[in-house]
Amino acid sequence: MPVRSSRSVRQGWAGFVASGLTATLVAGAAQAATPSLSGEKAAFPPFDVATFSGQLFWLAITFGALYWLMSTIALPRVGAILEERAGTIARDLDNAAKMQAKAEDTALAYEAALTEARKNAQGIAQASRDAGAKASEERRHAVEAELAAKLATAEATIAATKTSAMSNVRGLGSEVAIAIVEKLTGQAPSATEASEAVDQVLARG
C-alpha cells in the first residue's frame, strides 16, 4: 500500500512539474522578447515582475529535485522501515499469542497434575488409616489374648495355692483338734477321726 501510493503521487507530481516547467519556459521566452522599459525604478528582486519567470523556473527545478530525492530515497526508506516495523510487531504478536497459549496449556496440565496428586494423596491417607486400624485391632487382640493367658495362669496359680493352703489348713486343723481333745479329755483321738471332724467343719463353711 505505501509503495503504490508513493508511485501514484510521484506520477502526479511529475506531470505537474513538467507542466510548470513548460509554462515557465514559455513565460521566460515571452519576457525575453519584450523590451524592458527605461527610466523605471528597480523593484525588490523577489517582487520584481521581470524576475518572476526565473524565480518560478528555479523554484520548479528545486521542487523537482527535492521531490525526486524524497520519492527515490527518503520515502522508500521510510516505507521499508514502516514495513519492517509492522512485520516485527506482527511477529511479536504471534510470539506473544503462542506463549500465551503455551502458558494456558501448562496451567491446565498443572491443574490436572494437582488434581491427580490430591486424589492419590486421599487414597494414600485412606490406605494408611485402614492399615493403622488393622494394626491396632491386631495389637488389641494380641493384648487381650496375652491378658487372658496371664489371667488363666494367675487363676491356676491361685487355685493351686488355695488347694495347697486348704490342705495345710486341714492338716493343721487336725493337729489342733487332736491337741484340744487330748487336753480336754485326756485322751487323744485318732488322726482319722480328727481329719473327718475338720472336713465336716470345712464343709459347713
Side-chain angles (χ1 to χ4, degrees), residues 182-199:
E182 184 180 4
K183 188 173 182 180
L184 293 175
T185 62
Q187 185 179 359
S190 63
T192 301
E193 292 175 349
S195 298
E196 289 177 356
V198 171
D199 290 337

Side-chain angles (χ1 to χ4, degrees), residues 94-173:
D94 292 337
N95 293 331
K98 291 179 181 178
M99 292 177 66
Q100 184 178 2
K102 186 176 180 180
E104 292 177 354
D105 294 338
T106 304
L108 292 176
Y110 174 76
E111 290 293 336
L114 185 60
T115 303
E116 186 67 21
R118 287 175 180 172
K119 292 181 180 179
N120 293 334
Q122 291 176 357
I124 293 172
Q126 185 63 35
S128 299
R129 287 194 294 268
D130 294 340
K134 185 177 180 181
S136 178
E137 188 68 18
E138 291 177 354
R139 285 195 298 270
R140 186 177 65 82
H141 286 305
V143 170
E144 288 178 354
E146 184 179 358
L147 291 176
K150 289 182 178 180
L151 182 60
T153 302
E155 289 178 352
T157 301
I158 291 171
T161 303
K162 183 178 180 181
T163 303
S164 177
M166 291 301 293
S167 64
N168 293 331
V169 168
R170 185 170 178 273
L172 182 61

Side-chain angles (χ1 to χ4, degrees), residues 20 37 77 121 151:
L37 300 175
R77 289 184 180 180
L151 182 60

Side-chain angles (χ1 to χ4, degrees), residues 13-29 53 56-65:
W13 278 107
F16 176 75
V17 171
S19 60
L21 288 176
T22 303
T24 302
L25 292 176
V26 171
S53 59
L56 292 175
F57 174 76
W58 287 111
L59 177 62
I61 294 297
T62 305
F63 181 79

